[in-house]
Amino acid sequence: MGVTSPLKGQSHSRSLTRKLLPYVLYALLPIAVFRFYFHPFPFPLSTSDQLPHPNRIILTTSSSSSSSSPPPSSFSREEEIANETPCNYTYGRWVHDKMGPLYNGTTCGTIKEGQNCITHGRPDLGYLYWRWQPSQCNLPRFDPNTFFNLLSNKHIAFVGDSMARNQLESLLCMLATASYPNLVYKNGEDNKFRRWHFASHNITVSVYWSPFLVKGVEKSKTGPDHNELYVDVVDERWGSDLEHIDMVVLSIGHWFLHPAVYYEGGSVLGCHYCPGLNHTEIGFYDVMRKAIKTALKAIIERKSTDGNGIDVFLTSFSPSHFEGEWDKAGACPKTKPYEEGEKMVEGMDADMRSIAIEEMEAAKVNDKKFKGLRLETLDVTKLSLMRPDGHPGPYMYPFPFANGVQEHVQNDCVHWCLPGPIDTWNQIVLEVIRRWSVVSKREE
C-alpha cells in the first residue's frame, strides 16, 4: 500500500484553498456592503461652537459617556434624564441628516396649501435633510408616541399669528404619523379657529387666530386702513377658553410691523406709521412688550385661580429672508443653511427676540407663587435665521414656473415649508415637556 507524502497533502490543501477563496470573498462582500449601508459607523459631532447665553431654555444630554457611568442598561430612561447635565439648545448648527423628515406633502392632510412646497413642485429637496445640532447636546428625533403619553387627556392651544398656525400644522403632521387627528371644529375666514381631537389619547389641539394676543381690530377694505390695538385688554377669543386649556404656545411678531393705532386705558397711546392722523409716532417695540405682558398676566391670573395649572411657551421672533423684491423670482433663493458665524442675529430680529425673552423671564418671577404654572421661551430666532432655504418662496403656489419665469412672481420668505425647519420647534417643545415631566415626578 502506498503512503501519501505529507508535502503532497499540503500542496493539495493549498490548491483547494486557492480554489475556494474567491467564492468565500464573493459571499462575504454583499454581507459587508449590507452591514455598512444599513448600520453605518457613527461619526462624532464637533462641540467646538459652544456659546454662553444667560436667558436660555435648558435641554439636557446624557452623561453616560463618562468612564464612571454605569452601563445604559442599568438606568431607566427617567433616571438618565434626571442625571443629565443642562444644555442650551439656542446655539448650535444645522448638520446634514440622511434620515429626512417624518412626513411629506402627501402623507399629511393638514398642511396649508401655501406651505406644501413638495406638492407645489419645488425641485430642490436638499432642504429636507438637515437637523439642528445644539452645541452641547443632542436633540432627539421627534417621537409622536412620547408626545401622546406625556400629554394624554390634555388640550394644547396655539395662539397668535400665521407663524402659530405654521407651527401647529407642523405638529399635527408629525403626530399624524402615529395617530390620525379628527377635525372637530372650524370657524372664521381661512379657518382661523380650528380644533382637532386625537381619540387614541384624548388629546385636543386647537389654533386661535390672535395676531396681537390683545384685543385688536385688523385693517380691512371695509374698515380702517390700519390696525387698532388695545394693549391692556387680552383678546377674549382665546382668553375666554383658558379654563379649558392645559398648554398654550404663543407666537406673535410680524403683524406689529404694520401701520397701527394703539389704545391704553381707553385713550390713544400713539401709533406706528400713521401719516395723516394726529397721533404721536411711538413705534411698535414697547407696544409688543405691553401685549406680551398683558397676555401672560391674564394667563397667570386666570389659571392660578382655577387651580388646574398650565404650561406656557412663548415663541421668539422668526426672521424672514427676503433678499430682493417680494414679487420677483429669486426673492429667497438659498438652497442650504447658513454656516455658523455666517449670519448673526441683529437689528430688529435681535430686538424682538429680546422682548420675548425679557417678558417671559419677568413673568417667571411672578409665577413662583402659583403652583402648576410652568413658563418657558421657545427661543428659535437663531436656528430659524440660519435656514434661508426653508421657505416656500415662489412655491407658495403650484408650479409657478410651468410657463416660464414671469415678470411678477409672488414669494413667501416668511413662513416655512412643511415639512421643514419649523418641525425643529416642536422637537424642542417635546424635550422641554419631557424634562418638566421627569422633574415633576421627582418632586412628588
Side-chain angles (χ1 to χ4, degrees), residues 18 29 79 254 259 272 281-282 301 344-345 351 361 425:
R18 282 196 299 267
L29 183 60
E79 287 174 327
H254 290 277
H272 168 57
E281 171 70 44
I282 62 173
E301 289 181 349
M344 306 301 294
V345 178
D351 292 338
E361 291 302 311
W425 302 11

Side-chain angles (χ1 to χ4, degrees), residues 115-151:
Q115 278 97 58
N116 204 337
C117 305
I118 298 175
T119 59
H120 281 187
R122 178 170 172 172
D124 65 303
L125 299 181
Y127 72 96
L128 298 172
Y129 296 92
W130 297 91
R131 64 177 175 82
W132 181 244
Q133 174 61 56
S135 299
Q136 299 172 329
C137 65
N138 288 316
L139 181 59
R141 189 170 172 84
F142 187 91
D143 180 9
N145 291 310
T146 299
F147 188 96
F148 285 135
N149 292 333
L150 290 172
L151 291 165

Side-chain angles (χ1 to χ4, degrees), residues 420-431:
I422 198 169
D423 295 332
T424 300
W425 302 11
N426 290 315
Q427 281 182 267
I428 295 169
V429 167
L430 177 55
E431 284 305 290

Side-chain angles (χ1 to χ4, degrees), residues 85-360:
T85 45
C87 176
N88 177 2
Y89 83 85
T90 302
Y91 293 94
R93 59 197 175 97
W94 289 96
V95 298
H96 196 261
D97 177 25
K98 69 177 183 179
M99 292 187 69
L102 286 173
Y103 64 96
N104 60 48
T106 57
T107 61
C108 181
T110 55
I111 301 176
K112 181 179 172 62
E113 276 293 304
Q115 278 97 58
N116 204 337
C117 305
I118 298 175
T119 59
H120 281 187
R122 178 170 172 172
D124 65 303
L125 299 181
Y127 72 96
L128 298 172
Y129 296 92
W130 297 91
R131 64 177 175 82
W132 181 244
Q133 174 61 56
S135 299
Q136 299 172 329
C137 65
N138 288 316
L139 181 59
R141 189 170 172 84
F142 187 91
D143 180 9
N145 291 310
T146 299
F147 188 96
F148 285 135
N149 292 333
L150 290 172
L151 291 165
S152 59
N153 303 311
K154 303 292 185 182
H155 180 190
I156 301 107
F158 288 79
V159 178
D161 55 19
S162 54
M163 298 308 297
R165 181 175 61 198
N166 205 175
Q167 186 180 356
L168 157 98
E169 290 170 348
S170 160
L171 178 64
L172 287 176
C173 286
M174 291 195 288
L175 294 178
T177 61
S179 179
Y180 186 77
N182 295 304
L183 180 65
V184 295
Y185 175 81
K186 64 178 180 178
N187 191 21
E189 180 187 354
D190 197 26
N191 293 326
K192 291 180 176 177
F193 300 86
R194 288 176 291 169
R195 183 167 297 150
W196 292 263
H197 184 246
F198 290 88
S200 60
H201 291 77
N202 190 31
I203 292 177
T204 301
V205 182
S206 300
V207 60
Y208 294 82
W209 174 258
S210 183
F212 314 112
L213 299 182
V214 294
K215 179 181 176 182
V217 178
E218 298 168 29
K219 62 180 181 179
S220 66
K221 295 178 181 178
T222 58
D225 61 355
H226 56 266
N227 298 316
E228 295 181 350
L229 280 69
Y230 299 81
V231 298
D232 54 348
V233 181
V234 73
D235 184 354
E236 291 296 342
R237 292 181 297 180
W238 64 273
S240 60
D241 280 357
L242 273 171
E243 63 178 303
H244 307 296
I245 296 173
D246 302 292
M247 185 181 102
V248 61
V249 181
L250 308 174
S251 183
I252 58 170
H254 290 277
W255 272 71
F256 285 84
L257 307 180
H258 300 170
V261 175
Y262 311 123
Y263 298 85
E264 185 174 33
S267 302
V268 174
L269 177 66
C271 73
H272 168 57
Y273 193 69
C274 57
L277 298 178
N278 189 24
H279 300 316
T280 304
E281 171 70 44
I282 62 173
F284 60 85
Y285 288 125
D286 286 342
V287 171
M288 180 178 167
R289 185 182 296 277
K290 286 176 181 288
I292 293 174
K293 194 185 299 288
T294 296
L296 293 176
K297 182 172 181 287
I299 292 171
I300 292 173
E301 289 181 349
R302 297 185 189 190
K303 295 302 290 186
S304 63
T305 56
D306 70 16
N308 292 327
I310 191 171
D311 295 334
V312 184
F313 289 91
L314 175 60
T315 306
S316 66
F317 188 66
S318 175
S320 62
H321 290 93
F322 287 100
E323 295 186 17
E325 297 181 48
W326 67 273
D327 63 344
K328 300 288 186 181
C332 41
K334 295 286 193 298
T335 57
K336 64 180 182 178
Y338 287 122
E339 296 286 346
E340 175 64 30
E342 187 177 354
K343 194 77 171 177
M344 306 301 294
V345 178
E346 55 191 2
M348 183 190 73
D349 298 338
D351 292 338
M352 296 183 82
R353 170 184 177 270
S354 294
I355 289 171
I357 292 175
E358 290 164 8
E359 288 308 311
M360 184 57 94

